[in-house]
Amino acid sequence: MTQLDRPPGAPDPVSVPFTPGMRDNPDELAQFGDEIARDPEVKHDPTPTEEFTEEWRNASYNCFSSGHKFCREVCPVMQVTRNESWTPTAFHANVVAMDKGELSIEEVAGDYVNCTQCGACELRCPNTLFTGDFYRFRTRTVDVVKAVRAFAVESGIHQPAWKTWNARTDDKTHEPVLGEIPIKQENVRDWSAGLDIPIGGESVLFVDCEAAYYRTSVPRAVAQILQLAGYEFGLMGEQWCCGGPAAEMGYVDQAQRFARHNLDNWRSTGTKRILVLDPHDYISFTEDYPKYFGEEFDLEVVLVVELFAELIREGRLTPSVPVERAITYHDPCRLNKRKGVWKEPREILRSIPGLDFSDVDRVTQWSYCSGGGGGLPVEKPELTAAISASRLEKAAALEVDTLVSACPWSERPLSAAGEAVDIDVVDIHELLAASLGIEVGGTTNGSANGSAR
Amino acid sequence: MTVTVEALDELVTALRTVLADDQILTSKTDRYNRARVPAPFPVHRWSERLPDLAVLPTSTEQVAGVVRIANELRVPVVPRDGGTGLTDGAVPLRGGIVVDVKRMNQVKELDLENRTVTVGTGISMLKLNEQLAKHDLFYPDDPASYPCSLVGGRIGTSGWSLIGSRYGHSRDLVLSFDHVLPTGEVMHVGDGIGHKISKSSSGYQLKHLFMGHQGTLGIATEATLKLFPKPEAELSPFWAFDNYDDAYRCVGALARAGVATFAGAVLFDEWKVAYLRRDDEAYIPQPNDVRALVCAVMYGYEDEVRPAGKRLFRIAKDHGARYLGDEISEGDWAARHDRYATPLHGRTKAGQVVPMSWHCEDAAVNYTNLPSVSRAWHEIVADLRRRTDVFDDWGMFTYTSGSTGVDYLTEIDVGIWEQQLDDRAWEMWVKAKRDIAAVALAHNGSISACHGSCREGEVDLVPQELGRGFDVMLDLKRTLDPNNIMNPGKYLLDRAYETGPHA
């Protein structure tokens, strides 16, 4: 039924309920003239702002027209600042205001720093919750934030710390994760000292910059677990930054240049499969690279947390050394919220003997974030610290001694916040390695120039 | 901007005596993002509704300090809490200072013996209940905007709760609060002067006066709330009907049954079902013979909800109801807060999906008048729709307001294609709102049971509804806010200053 029978005396089909667009609707419905509604005006010589808002207008209107702000209480930045100007809805409303000629990119650019791109807002949005993507109108705040940041850079508006950071990364082909300490391309494999890992091959382990230089215990744990399971893999010949952070901060050209380098390098070593331990890389390789290269990007991307869960399931890895710790697990935003990966890390943790695991359900964790993503710690470290402190407060309420994460980028800010409440922050791969009897080595604080000797 | 650059400098300098720099926001984005609420909005006139600045106080003292300065400098003050209100209470009409209370979101005291909690008014019900859950308690104020509206806004609106038929609405659940008067003085207001008193016969009953004023009489900063045991069981059956009349009679019978765990019943009319049917593929399939839906909700202990449910099922069956099953019932009720935010699927008459804002007009109407009000309201929206695709009819809900079924909140949901609004479309909408309010009054109803009625259109009829009572409002406004600084322009209260010494 699309149309109730028109009762006698009803003047026209609009006076009774109907479902617009159904084939059996009366023709009269399409024949009403319209006093107001018009097709949007097509600008022949659009300004850069007009071009930008033309592309993003409807995406932002989908949020603006809802305006209910359910996203607000799960937004990590909002939780610590309580500043409505830095909420997902504001990010969309600004675009609408730009479209109406009320705000300019110069006026709005600074506000868009205040986002970790964790994606919680998208999950909590009624547009997503209620109808999924049925109308292809899912709210995509992360994309809008990235787009505005890119438009700002394109317009010559830079955030000072991001600008420096990207310039340095460009210079070194790596992110300056160690601040002023110089790192070079030849240091990119220092973390693997003594592990005897070949270069290239069908499967290559890609190690993000934070893990390669700062938290070297993480890639060491991953590599040794793979070796223990007899999984053949190599390292990249010349590994550049994945380009993800540049893309997140709006430095699109740089991001694509880096991506091109990496893709070419994989081609040169016959690589078919990339093993990824960092959730941010996982986003780059599964979302950004396919966008840049289309079908040319035909490599398989394997998240090692998922691989390890599978190897444990198959009996190829059997954690047996008890780890006597009271833990809870921090779902990295890019795994749980953005990619829906939450089961496998828990599977791994449940397989480790000795752990007293106080789990928090994955939906509750939508409102948790370390604050370490989206370039926030580069431009506003104090906000990252506040968000991490808030995360650790929640862990402390569970009376645990250890917070386990699966994201190297979260671990530095979480560890710093953990000191205040006497909670250790440990990487899930390291914890698994310990239970497999592996002496990991490496550092968790970037000491000794990131090398692991 | 309503104040000059020099005056703005003077204002900021004065505010710095009570606030830190990061609590005073003057940028354009800060101002634009505090001019907007979910109700459709003449976007083409956005710039007319901007504040001159916004402040983020963290204490009652700071709010009082800001208001005192504003009163001295004669600068308008607009309180903003969640900014989810549908009557634009939080939208500045004359510029000035937006006092955004979101940083006042602490739980100050939890009294497990007397079952109260004292909170900053910037906390949301969702966040509060997350903390109360540890103690098996909850605060049952449950607006559709539950995840993001704030306690202070509930006070300023005197909001309506989806489960109010059992637990009462904001006015019943808020025991008392600290309130900053328009002169910057602070008072504590409750039943009597009570902090944790739920019923007093001492003096005038001032609590109601300072609730629902939409920010025209000051700012609530810290509130003490009544708590209940967290319900052990929830039963929320959805029933389908093949005609509206049976569904209507069923709702009345459910409400009149006097079941103690009954927390509310909702009736969806034919237009609402037709609207939901647009989402068949995406959400709940609605068979063709479904023309109206009824939902009842019970909360309580397992051993009281179960037999009560049996009774309500029996009543529903006697009225021709078909139970939609546990899955749909539980899922649909669980989605009650999201379901109200069903934007994005406005459609033109030809069926094109366009981004539309959701808006609803509400009224308090006696049970016996519901069918007649419903017909008249749909005809008003149909007339808009005949003229333009800027408007779409998203159907009507009717909810019990109390446990006895005397009166109902009834609302019509209208999709508005905001991108297409211009002065003409806006004028058509304002007139429709006026007509909708007039229908409610013609049926001895009240213009609003839920959102307030201070917005362009419906507000024109408020003096007619309240009669001599409206003059009392003017008297009170003039007395309490001699300089008309609190949310000026709202509720036609400027009339209080049109004669006499303050003109």
Side-chain angles (χ1 to χ4, degrees), chain A residues 12 64 69 84-85 102 111, chain B residues 29-30 36 83 102 386:
Chain A
D12 60 33
F64 189 82
K69 307 161 187 161
E84 198 171 343
S85 311
E102 302 284 358
D111 285 339
Chain B
T29 53
D30 291 326
R36 162 94 186 135
K102 289 187 195 67
R386 280 184 196 106

Side-chain angles (χ1 to χ4, degrees), chain A residues 181-405:
Chain A
I181 299 174
I183 48 173
K184 294 185 188 139
Q185 179 56 222
E186 56 251 37
N187 301 118
V188 76
R189 290 187 297 271
D190 284 2
W191 62 268
S192 66
L195 295 182
D196 198 21
I197 308 172
I199 303 294
E202 277 211 4
S203 300
V204 151
L205 176 63
F206 188 93
V207 179
D208 66 282
C209 318
E210 177 77 351
Y213 295 105
Y214 188 87
R215 215 168 172 101
T216 55
S217 56
V218 176
R220 287 185 69 84
V222 169
Q224 292 173 86
I225 295 170
L226 289 169
Q227 288 175 331
L228 183 71
Y231 193 105
E232 271 189 37
F233 71 100
L235 300 179
M236 265 184 90
E238 192 175 306
Q239 177 185 310
W240 286 13
C241 165
C242 71
E248 288 182 346
M249 297 177 199
Y251 291 78
V252 179
D253 292 345
Q254 180 164 319
Q256 295 191 9
R257 208 156 23 86
F258 280 35
R260 170 50 68 187
H261 166 87
N262 286 336
L263 181 57
D264 290 347
N265 196 276
W266 289 322
R267 290 261 182 268
S268 75
T269 53
T271 299
K272 304 247 185 301
R273 190 175 302 106
I274 318 157
L275 308 179
V276 181
L277 60 90
D278 166 33
H280 294 254
D281 292 343
Y282 192 57
I283 295 278
S284 298
F285 299 152
T286 59
E287 295 182 12
D288 292 353
Y289 281 39
K291 257 183 241 160
Y292 302 153
F293 305 119
E295 287 185 1
E296 192 195 342
F297 186 74
D298 57 356
L299 287 90
E300 186 189 353
V301 182
V302 175
L303 184 67
V304 294
V305 160
E306 291 186 309
L307 175 65
F308 289 168
E310 192 184 318
L311 293 172
I312 290 168
R313 236 177 282 139
E314 290 170 355
R316 289 170 66 187
L317 290 173
T318 308
S320 55
V321 179
V323 181
E324 307 288 345
R325 280 176 183 266
I327 65 156
T328 188
Y329 173 64
H330 174 77
D331 275 296
C333 305
R334 276 144 185 85
L335 289 193
N336 179 0
K337 284 175 265 194
R338 293 195 43 194
K339 300 305 271 187
V341 178
W342 54 272
K343 279 192 214 121
E344 290 80 1
R346 287 172 172 77
E347 245 181 287
I348 293 173
L349 292 172
R350 295 222 162 80
S351 76
I352 297 175
L355 286 185
D356 174 6
F357 181 16
S358 303
D359 199 4
V360 176
D361 80 50
R362 71 183 203 285
V363 175
T364 302
Q365 294 225 2
W366 288 359
S367 62
Y368 297 178
C369 179
S370 69
L376 189 70
V378 176
E379 200 60 52
K380 291 206 168 173
E382 71 287 356
L383 281 191
T384 297
I387 294 167
S388 272
S390 152
R391 176 65 188 94
L392 263 299
E393 246 174 58
K394 285 165 187 134
L398 299 171
E399 297 181 348
V400 297
D401 55 47
T402 304
L403 178 66
V404 178
S405 184

Side-chain angles (χ1 to χ4, degrees), chain A residues 1 4 12 34-35 38 58 61 64 68-69 72 81-85 94 102 111 127 135, chain B residues 29-30 32-34 36 80 83 102-103 148 279 288 291 340 386-389 419-420 424:
Chain A
M1 187 222 66
L4 289 181
D12 60 33
D34 202 298
E35 294 181 26
R38 298 281 176 273
N58 277 349
Y61 248 105
F64 189 82
H68 291 108
K69 307 161 187 161
R72 194 161 59 199
T81 65
R82 305 294 288 166
N83 182 347
E84 198 171 343
S85 311
N94 288 344
E102 302 284 358
D111 285 339
N127 299 348
Y135 291 104
Chain B
T29 53
D30 291 326
Y32 269 82
N33 281 295
R34 285 174 185 77
R36 162 94 186 135
R80 182 175 181 90
K102 289 187 195 67
R103 285 190 180 166
C148 53
D279 277 341
N288 284 350
R291 298 279 172 94
Y340 103 109
R386 280 184 196 106
R387 295 172 62 186
T388 173
D389 277 330
Q419 284 170 318
Q420 298 272 1
R424 268 185 319 156

